[in-house]
Amino acid sequence: MKSVLVLYYSRGGHTAKISRAIAEHIESGGNKCAVMHISEAVKEGLDWSKYDSVALGACVMYGTYDKSVFEFTTKHQAALSEKPSSFYSVNVVARKPEKRVPENNKYLQKFIELSPWKPKDVKVIAGKVDYPSWRWWDRLAIQLIMKMTDGPTDPKTVIDYTDWDDVKVYADHIVSLAD
């Protein structure tokens, strides 16, 4: 039995949902999995020695990741580098299959460039458009981006682009990193 840590940063809740799905799948395979928001990990601290592998996920908003993600990876760069680990980027541009390829996803590449932690294993997961739940200024900004990228712009639109079967495959992959 392996013990896995899934850390995440989520703003609207979809990355949290993906992270919980990863954890549930890992546990359904007979392994242990702790899942927590990075702010919780910062407050409570982490005993990295309890885990065989680690996955860190973050959502993209306005073309970048929240500064807390970079602060976390800076502070915990050594621990993340010493453990078998993976980074997963959740973004709506990945609604296009070619943007799910790490080398073709500019947001993932931007993370690798800006983060002091250089993950050897990465994953791109398509996110969710949920205009009704977003603050008005977020909705307007994202509608503009979507207009430029031929995405949905109707303010009533809710589309989950996440491939949930692929999330399960990724969860199995995170466990396999510990082998």
Side-chain angles (χ1 to χ4, degrees):
M1 176 172 31
K2 301 294 181 193
S3 180
V4 177
L5 174 61
V6 175
L7 298 162
Y8 67 90
Y9 172 83
S10 186
R11 185 164 167 198
H14 194 67
T15 303
K17 182 178 179 181
I18 291 168
S19 301
R20 287 190 303 271
I22 289 169
E24 288 168 10
H25 187 74
I26 289 170
E27 290 178 338
S28 75
N31 296 289
K32 290 183 184 177
C33 189
V35 60
M36 65 176 66
H37 194 283
I38 60 172
S39 64
E40 180 185 357
V42 168
K43 286 179 192 164
E44 294 183 13
L46 288 170
D47 179 357
W48 295 91
S49 67
K50 291 171 46 178
Y51 305 103
D52 299 307
S53 63
V54 178
L56 171 62
C59 59
V60 172
M61 190 63 140
Y62 300 125
T64 192
Y65 303 89
D66 190 79
K67 68 179 182 170
S68 66
V69 176
F70 293 107
E71 291 167 357
F72 186 87
T73 57
T74 299
K75 182 176 181 184
H76 299 285
Q77 176 184 357
L80 288 164
S81 297
E82 289 168 8
K83 291 269 177 201
S85 59
S86 183
F87 176 76
Y88 57 102
S89 173
V90 178
N91 57 76
V92 177
V93 74
R95 71 187 184 279
K96 298 178 180 180
E98 68 275 12
K99 298 297 184 183
R100 291 183 207 141
V101 176
E103 296 77 20
N104 296 340
N105 189 286
K106 66 181 179 181
Y107 302 118
L108 176 60
Q109 294 305 314
K110 186 176 185 178
F111 175 82
I112 293 168
E113 178 186 326
L114 297 176
S115 172
W117 170 50
K118 304 299 180 200
K120 293 178 184 83
D121 188 84
V122 294
K123 176 72 173 168
V124 179
I125 299 174
K128 179 179 181 180
V129 171
D130 189 357
Y131 289 123
S133 74
W134 294 339
R135 298 176 294 198
W136 68 268
W137 59 87
D138 289 335
R139 184 179 68 246
L140 288 176
I142 295 168
Q143 282 174 307
L144 177 62
I145 293 166
M146 287 293 185
K147 185 174 176 112
M148 295 185 306
T149 61
D150 297 319
T153 58
D154 183 321
K156 296 181 184 109
T157 299
V158 177
I159 303 173
D160 183 351
Y161 292 103
T162 306
D163 179 340
W164 293 100
D165 289 332
D166 191 48
V167 169
K168 291 177 183 176
V169 170
Y170 179 61
D172 291 335
H173 173 72
I174 297 165
V175 173
S176 77
L177 292 174
D179 291 336

